[in-house]
Amino acid sequence: KDVPWVVNKVQRDEKKRYPLPPFITSTLQQEAHRLYRFSAKKTMSLAQRLYEGVDLGELGTHGLITYMRTDSTRLADEAIFGARGYVEKAYGKEYLPGGPVRYKNKRSAQDAHEAIRPTGVEFSPDKVVNALERDDMRLYRLIWNRFLACQMAPARFDVTVASVLAGERWT
């Protein structure tokens, strides 16, 4: 407080944050717990309902997500291109990377099932909101958002760092 100080240097930079891969069983459970305090059992119960099918009224009964017990981040080509088409239409071309994003699995992954994702982009959260209970919707929106994000361009941030000289010490 009592020492004179001066801004010595200001440095501006751009940082990128790449999207996370689509959910596997463990990451879905972790994120549902972190955001909503869902237990692993509750998360899997909700996911099971979304997988088995939901009555969407005039659209009929549809499973909204792919199989929820998986350790693979692999996505089917049709899902990747469906997500890219949705992103381009909803947000614009500038939100798409140059090509499809494919994630590598861990060596221990069995890769029997693809990552947890919506069964189709035609079932957006806005279209199914009235057919789902609150917690079902929260989990579905979480899966939907991660799936779309994994095919989007990295987020770009402007970062400014100021170096301040105070007395004889850098802070």
Side-chain angles (χ1 to χ4, degrees), residues 57-126:
E58 293 178 8
L59 297 174
T61 300
H62 292 277
L64 295 178
I65 64 169
T66 56
Y67 192 59
M68 77 295 305
R69 296 202 179 276
T70 182
D71 59 357
S72 174
T73 55
R74 177 180 52 82
L75 292 170
D77 286 343
E78 74 177 41
I80 290 171
F81 291 108
R84 289 178 60 83
Y86 187 93
V87 167
E88 183 175 353
K89 186 177 177 185
Y91 303 106
K93 258 190 168 160
E94 63 272 15
Y95 287 90
L96 284 175
V101 180
R102 300 189 192 279
Y103 294 88
K104 292 186 178 181
N105 286 320
K106 292 182 180 176
R107 289 181 189 238
S108 61
Q110 293 179 0
D111 201 28
H113 300 280
E114 64 178 302
I116 303 168
R117 64 167 177 86
T119 54
V121 292
E122 66 271 18
F123 301 121
S124 69
D126 293 339

Side-chain angles (χ1 to χ4, degrees), residues 160-171:
T160 304
V161 177
S163 298
V164 178
L165 183 60
E168 294 189 30
R169 296 181 51 192
W170 286 99
T171 57

